[in-house]
Amino acid sequence: MDLELVINIIEDNGYLGLFLWLWFGVFVIPVPNEVILTTVGLASAKGALHPVPAFFVTYMGISAAFTTSYLLGRIIGRRVLGLLEKKKRFANSIESAMKLMEKYHAFSLSLSCFAPGVRYLVPLLYGFSRLPFKTFAIFAYSGAFVWVSIIFVLGYLFGDKMDLVMKYNREVWLVILGLSIITFIFVLRRRKIKAAIGTEEVILQERQHK
């Protein structure tokens, strides 16, 4: 994606224009999200954008797109799925999204951020299945934050060398996905250990009072 395009959008419409572009553009512009985000990161590195508001607007725009997909699933999910299933490309992606959901359940919302083919299908399917919005928000927004942070930083640091990064795109994402899963398991285990310690302390206190 042309760096000047991002700069022109900001100059003509401000950060609001960037937000709206990221919100609705992902549904109508055939450009991978990774390319858009790295370009915004590169524009920040070049001084065309301020890094903090650029990152914040980018994250909010992507989060709004995820939310829109989820709400479409809740409101008119059956119609949307019916249309998508008629197209072979989307039918295969829906099948992949469902397998991801079956294996990782709600955590698949976080993992789907790293999977271009199912990134917006998983929120749509969870909206259709009436997953509580609170659960959707926890996993989707946290996953989006990690994903946007990684891509934004890659663009900021290596924007001029993105051809090399994209060449090893599969390897990079496998490493990132592996680290994300390990981090999630580590955090989950820490919470379980803290909960177990808290339960033991309560039991000891009860015994002392008897």
Side-chain angles (χ1 to χ4, degrees):
M1 177 170 290
D2 192 352
L3 178 61
E4 291 183 4
L5 175 59
V6 175
I7 296 173
N8 289 336
I9 289 173
I10 299 298
E11 289 179 347
D12 296 340
N13 306 290
Y15 285 99
L16 177 60
L18 178 61
F19 169 76
L20 295 175
W21 183 46
L22 288 166
W23 181 3
F24 296 109
V26 295
F27 298 107
V28 297
I29 300 175
V31 178
N33 289 155
E34 287 80 4
V35 176
I36 300 174
L37 300 187
T38 52
T39 304
V40 175
L42 176 59
S44 300
K46 296 291 185 180
L49 305 177
H50 191 286
V52 175
F55 172 81
F56 178 75
V57 169
T58 300
Y59 170 66
M60 293 304 295
I62 293 296
S63 297
F66 284 153
T67 305
T68 299
S69 182
Y70 169 81
L71 293 176
L72 283 174
R74 286 190 72 98
I75 299 170
I76 54 173
R78 189 176 297 278
R79 294 180 183 177
V80 175
L81 288 174
L83 291 172
L84 294 178
E85 287 174 344
K86 292 179 181 179
K87 299 181 179 180
K88 186 176 181 179
R89 180 170 65 90
F90 286 110
N92 294 334
S93 296
I94 290 173
E95 184 178 351
S96 299
M98 293 182 71
K99 288 181 180 179
L100 188 68
M101 292 165 65
E102 289 174 3
K103 187 172 184 179
Y104 297 103
H105 305 290
F107 186 51
S108 61
L109 281 163
S110 297
L111 295 178
S112 66
C113 296
F114 301 88
V118 300
R119 184 170 297 141
Y120 295 101
L121 284 175
V122 172
L124 179 74
L125 291 170
Y126 270 120
F128 179 68
S129 64
R130 300 287 173 175
L131 179 75
F133 181 79
K134 182 179 180 180
T135 304
F136 160 79
I138 290 173
F139 287 96
Y141 298 157
S142 61
F145 182 82
V146 174
W147 171 62
V148 171
S149 298
I150 292 171
I151 301 299
F152 186 89
V153 171
L154 282 175
Y156 189 89
L157 297 177
F158 308 107
D160 292 332
K161 302 179 182 64
M162 281 313 296
D163 289 341
L164 182 62
V165 174
M166 295 304 292
K167 181 180 178 181
Y168 297 100
N169 180 58
R170 182 180 178 83
E171 290 78 4
V172 169
W173 282 119
L174 284 174
V175 172
I176 291 173
L177 183 60
L179 290 174
S180 299
I181 293 174
I182 292 171
T183 301
F184 175 77
I185 294 174
F186 176 74
V187 172
L188 192 64
R189 291 195 64 179
R190 281 193 65 183
R191 288 181 179 178
K192 287 183 178 180
I193 292 172
K194 286 183 178 180
I197 293 174
T199 302
E200 290 178 0
E201 290 178 349
V202 171
I203 294 173
L204 288 173
Q205 290 177 0
E206 290 179 349
R207 288 178 179 177
Q208 291 174 356
H209 288 300
K210 289 183 180 179

